[in-house]
Amino acid sequence: MTKAVSWIALSCVAWSAVVHASELQPHPEVSTLAQWLEQRQQASGVIGVSAALVVDGKVVWMQGLGYADKGAGIAMTPDTQVGIGSVTKTFTALAAMQLQEQGVVDIERPLSRYLPQFRMRTHGEDLNQVTLKRLITHSAGVPTDVFRDMEADRASYTDVVKLIGRTALAHSPGTVGLYSNAGYNLLGHALATASGTDYQQLLKQRIFLPLEMTGTGFAMDRQGQPRSKAYGPDRAVATPFELRDIASGGIYSTAGDLAVYAIALMDAYHGQSSAAVSEKMARAMFTRQTDIPIDTNKKGLGWFLFRNDSGFAAYHAGSTFYSNAALVLIPERKAAAIILANTVGSDALCEQFAFRWLESHGLAAADIVPEPLGAPAFEPRASRGRHAGYYAQKNGYAKVSITSDGLSIRRGTDTVQATERSPGAFVVETAGEANGDVYYFRDVGPYHVLFWRRGVREQQQGYRIAAKSIDAAWAKRIGEYRLFGYSLPGFEKLLGAEVALQDDGLPILRITYNTGTFVYPLVPLSRDEARTGGLGPSMTGDSVSFAADAKGEVMTYLGLSFRRVDRVAITPRLQAFGYENAWNLFDGSP
């Protein structure tokens, strides 16, 4: 979700309520980061922030800045509860590791073993490959979200299995890193079913109570701790709704409690097991998983990993619609940074705080990026023709054409010429920053993927789509659609959608929010269903289906319903793309 930041500096009242500032220890990186946070919190306009730093396995500094309730003059402290959003996922993963160690679940087994009601439409994928481990590592192919009935008073995390069953698998399991809130709710449901204990009680009994995290719980709990207000983009008090998705983002916690949690994990990593986490669990969670061929992040089990020759860090950030949090651990040094904030747009502040701590320990943001796969070892020059065609990316299409000595690659309005300097590797030789760029292709699962490499940086550039004909029924779906029925809660609103044409007449889906517009390729799969193109890391592969009712054409996307609001005739623009007779969008040519 997008957020904006703007506010005046806090008054001196807030500074009188700063907690634990006198406990600042003589660690240069601690004092530097603490001073930076004070300055940045005022400049950014974030209403309230709480943070803690751990050095050598001990809390050396905690502080609250600004307000938990500005109107009432209640200061933010390290004991103020704030929604931690997706940092919740680290707790869900830890619960999975506990049950794995006790033999209650086997994370390598299919989700359907624990949730027999798990069903999704597939297009050649094997649902038995959706395992608990792949849910933990966001590689199961489960869509990022289901945007229907998101409020806790409308549905429960256990309803996600039914809601997700109305859509289709986004990607072939085990091939793409696709961040999935829905996947973690399925995981939490499976753990609850296998253990015979509801998810909230499972975490309370197995993690919160053993670690004495007395300020941590869920929205429905009786509040023993002061809880922060939530502040919207206009810096006014918001009326937050509670998320259905508690297993992916429903925990409330404090800076002090998250410091206790971080220390317990790092202690276990060093052999000091506790009732909540053993050395074996911690070592497994912080071990890099290398079985996801198309990914943008190094991952452990439940954590994102930064790793270079000097060491590694485990990281997770979280966001509700209003609050934000970040937690970064340097396990080998028993150091950690924790931050929580209560205002829309504070995600940037939280990330900057965590990354500054990361950098003070010899790591950088770029250390989260996996090493390049590199070009295939050998590919006959005669086979390069199979690379020609259109490639679906998250924000549009790339077009690859064969030339006499290599390839022409068009992305948007930019076209580059690449010469085949070795079999299968195509090098750009031109003036400017693109000089030396390398393009190559790999078959990954069912996808023929275009990769781009510049220096040590590599990115996938989409997968080739098959040449298909689309009949008149598909052509007539081009037009604008308006959301009806259920709509998203919170400050960010989905305003409408449009099915349109791009490039050489390829279909796209344009989704407009009050905060911006996003464009996705629309890859037809059947007469009435398509998939948004692209390969991760979020919001790709989503099912888009069409049906007619008494009032006209209805499109379903992410569980939301849209109705066509215009009647598109066969215009000269459509005629230019061959709709008069054959209705072909794809002619199969490069």
Side-chain angles (χ1 to χ4, degrees), residues 316-380:
H316 217 297
S319 177
T320 67
F321 279 81
Y322 298 94
S323 63
N324 291 279
L327 177 57
V328 60
L329 281 58
I330 320 290
E332 291 172 341
R333 303 186 188 184
K334 300 183 77 170
I338 299 100
I339 184 168
L340 304 98
N342 63 8
T343 309
V344 168
S346 57
D347 51 336
L349 174 66
C350 292
E351 181 181 274
Q352 291 165 12
F353 180 82
F355 285 8
R356 281 175 172 263
W357 186 249
L358 194 77
E359 290 163 2
S360 73
H361 288 80
L363 291 150
D367 293 326
I368 199 172
V369 180
E371 295 78 10
L373 293 173
F378 177 78
E379 181 177 81

Side-chain angles (χ1 to χ4, degrees), residues 215-359:
T216 301
F218 297 90
M220 63 287 296
D221 295 338
R222 293 180 59 186
Q223 289 184 228
Q225 295 286 120
R227 182 173 293 175
S228 176
K229 296 283 188 182
Y231 292 88
D234 57 359
R235 299 309 183 256
V237 175
T239 304
F241 69 93
E242 299 303 339
L243 286 166
R244 163 202 72 201
D245 295 346
I246 60 171
S248 65
I251 291 177
Y252 282 78
S253 192
T254 70
D257 269 10
L258 289 181
V260 169
Y261 176 57
I263 290 169
L265 288 166
M266 294 188 296
D267 281 348
Y269 180 82
H270 286 273
Q272 302 171 44
S273 299
S274 68
V277 54
S278 69
E279 179 181 5
K280 182 179 179 182
M281 291 180 213
R283 291 275 174 174
M285 295 179 77
F286 297 149
T287 295
R288 183 181 169 192
Q289 306 299 304
T290 58
D291 59 347
I292 310 170
I294 300 177
D295 208 355
T296 54
N297 302 297
K298 297 171 185 170
K299 291 187 176 77
L301 296 176
W303 293 85
F304 297 97
L305 301 180
F306 297 83
R307 185 179 290 276
N308 62 22
D309 292 340
S310 69
F312 78 96
Y315 174 76
H316 217 297
S319 177
T320 67
F321 279 81
Y322 298 94
S323 63
N324 291 279
L327 177 57
V328 60
L329 281 58
I330 320 290
E332 291 172 341
R333 303 186 188 184
K334 300 183 77 170
I338 299 100
I339 184 168
L340 304 98
N342 63 8
T343 309
V344 168
S346 57
D347 51 336
L349 174 66
C350 292
E351 181 181 274
Q352 291 165 12
F353 180 82
F355 285 8
R356 281 175 172 263
W357 186 249
L358 194 77
E359 290 163 2

Side-chain angles (χ1 to χ4, degrees), residues 482-500:
R482 183 174 300 152
L483 185 69
F484 72 94
Y486 178 83
S487 62
L488 288 173
F491 70 92
E492 189 166 43
K493 300 297 183 184
L494 200 162
L495 302 179
E498 182 184 10
V499 177

Side-chain angles (χ1 to χ4, degrees), residues 390 396-399 410 412-413 501-506 573 577:
Y390 293 102
Y397 296 91
K399 181 181 180 181
R410 189 189 75 193
T413 58
L501 301 178
Q502 188 180 76
D503 297 334
D504 297 334
L506 306 181
R573 174 166 171 76
F577 292 123

